[in-house]
Amino acid sequence: MPARDKFHSQVRSALLKDGWTITHDPLRLTWGAKDMYVDLGAERLIAAEKGTQKIAVEIKTFGSLSEMDDLEKAVGQYVVYHDVMSKLEPERALYIAVSETVFVTLFEEPIGRLLLDNHRIRLVVFDPQKEVIRQWTP
């Protein structure tokens, strides 16, 4: 299993505070002979629909010296996980969790905005100090 991200416990706590139940920590995906691990799997009851909403969350710190290298790796990982999940768990939506700081410095910039506007990725933005969710992108 891969090492946990620096913000793993903060994101987990923020999801719990937001009404999610953690179902997998991590969420294991197997495709052929390859195993992959999304950081968290979660679900919550949707009262109006009398069903559940399921998500998978990959946590990213963007802590290396190259923000663009981090972005390229995160988007590549997202695409692989997304495509495997579309076959194994099509009801589960995939998100990348990023801190508010990363959101402002990268995803409010033209390159990040382009990815969000083109619906390449979905984000969950969190405050690591307060351990709360600040925003979900569609």
Side-chain angles (χ1 to χ4, degrees), residues 116-133:
L116 295 174
D117 290 346
N118 287 337
H119 304 285
R120 297 285 183 221
I121 58 174
R122 292 183 194 139
L123 299 179
V124 55
V125 182
F126 67 95
D127 178 332
Q129 283 74 41
K130 295 183 179 174
E131 298 183 352
V132 295
I133 303 297

Side-chain angles (χ1 to χ4, degrees), residues 22-81:
I22 304 301
T23 58
H24 301 83
D25 187 357
L27 172 64
R28 180 180 175 190
L29 303 173
T30 301
W31 193 255
K34 304 298 180 192
D35 288 332
M36 295 147 267
Y37 297 90
V38 184
D39 291 321
L40 295 168
E43 64 182 36
R44 72 175 166 187
L45 183 64
I46 304 170
E49 297 177 20
K50 295 189 169 108
T52 57
Q53 180 181 12
K54 295 181 178 183
I55 61 171
V57 179
E58 181 61 24
I59 305 160
K60 293 296 176 198
T61 304
F62 288 84
S64 80
L65 296 176
S66 172
E67 191 175 60
M68 283 308 299
D69 187 54
D70 287 347
L71 180 63
E72 290 163 358
K73 286 178 182 174
V75 171
Q77 189 176 24
Y78 182 93
V79 168
V80 171
Y81 290 175

Side-chain angles (χ1 to χ4, degrees), residues 95-106:
Y95 289 85
I96 297 175
V98 298
S99 69
E100 288 178 297
T101 301
V102 169
F103 182 75
V104 168
T105 62
L106 184 59

